[in-house]
């Protein structure tokens, strides 16, 4: 191993950052983050209290339980977007509906902060699509390159299928196609 190679000498933070970047690239990361960030103020503000000297200002309302449920559901949908990206459209639609429901239920959607974040996260989740795989050269995959642009040898290999053996089993036909044990 030469001193110029960086395989063993990379700092662990750089390796963790690269792994996180690869993990983040295969899922609607920002959609989940915005959805969870929208659920926190919606769930928090109805139970928050602020001290002003000797006076306590409490935002407790009758809709506290509804706000908590909406906030927890938005956080759960954000995690679902991260770890089950196959249901991203459902999670996005549900996040948008919960954000709209939070306006009358949860103190104007967590004072509009949670509403906007949840709405943005749901929209990002619906619009996210997995990326297309790319070759190591940075070119498009072979299946997406038109036939006219392919090299001549590759075009012939793609046009002529490989011949397989016949795969015909005489033993199976000898007993009428039935299984020997039956």
């Amino acid at each position: 191993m030469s001193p110029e190679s960086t395989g063993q000498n990379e700092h662990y933070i750089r390796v963790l950052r690269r792994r996180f970047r690869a993990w983040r690239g295969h899922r609607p990361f920002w959609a989940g983050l915005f959805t969870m960030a929208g659920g926190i103020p919606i769930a928090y503000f109805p139970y928050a209290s602020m001290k002003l000297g000797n006076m306590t200002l409490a935002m407790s309302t009758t809709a506290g339980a509804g706000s908590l449920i909406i906030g927890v559901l938005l956080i759960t949908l954000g995690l679902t977007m991260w770890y089950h990206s196959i249901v991203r459209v459902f999670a996005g639609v549900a996040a948008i509906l919960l954000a709209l429901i939070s306006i009358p239920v949860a103190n104007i959607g967590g004072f509009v902060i949670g509403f906007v974040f949840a709405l943005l996260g749901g929209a990002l989740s619906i619009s996210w699509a997995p990326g297309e795989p790319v070759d190591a050269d940075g070119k498009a995959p072979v299946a997406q390159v038109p036939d006219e642009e392919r090299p001549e040898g590759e075009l012939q290999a793609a046009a002529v299928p490989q011949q397989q053996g016949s795969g015909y089993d005489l033993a199976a036909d000898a007993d009428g196609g039935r299984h020997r044990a039956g």
Side-chain angles (χ1 to χ4, degrees):
M1 195 162 187
S2 68
E4 288 85 23
S5 68
T6 61
Q8 295 289 331
N9 298 332
E10 273 191 294
H11 198 266
Y12 69 93
I13 293 176
R14 186 176 297 156
V15 172
L16 289 176
R17 183 174 166 261
R18 191 176 302 127
R19 284 184 188 168
F20 174 69
R21 203 172 196 186
W23 177 83
R24 186 183 72 191
H26 296 291
R27 56 195 34 89
F29 175 78
W30 292 107
L33 187 68
F34 278 124
T35 303
M36 286 188 285
I40 291 171
I42 289 174
Y44 175 75
F45 284 141
Y47 295 102
S49 61
M50 187 170 64
K51 289 275 212 184
L52 296 173
N54 291 335
M55 185 175 63
T56 302
L57 180 66
M59 290 299 301
S60 299
T61 62
T62 58
S67 302
L68 183 65
I69 290 171
I70 290 172
V72 168
L73 283 174
L74 283 171
I75 292 170
T76 304
L77 286 171
L79 290 171
T80 301
M81 291 173 197
W82 279 0
Y83 294 107
H84 297 287
S85 62
I86 194 77
V87 294
R88 68 187 182 276
V89 175
F90 167 75
V93 169
I96 289 172
L97 289 176
L98 284 171
L100 291 171
I101 290 171
S102 74
I103 291 174
V105 172
N107 294 334
I108 312 168
F111 297 119
V112 183
I113 299 167
F115 166 72
V116 168
F117 279 153
L119 204 63
L120 183 63
L124 285 173
S125 177
I126 291 172
S127 66
W128 184 84
E132 296 293 326
V134 179
D135 289 344
D137 306 351
K139 297 179 182 177
V142 176
Q144 295 180 354
V145 176
D147 290 340
E148 295 83 27
E149 296 177 12
R150 289 187 186 174
E152 188 63 32
E154 186 179 351
L155 183 62
Q156 286 181 350
V160 179
Q162 295 291 334
Q163 296 293 326
Q164 299 287 333
S166 66
Y168 184 73
D169 189 14
L170 294 175
D173 206 23
D175 58 350
R178 292 187 310 255
H179 193 274
R180 292 183 186 157

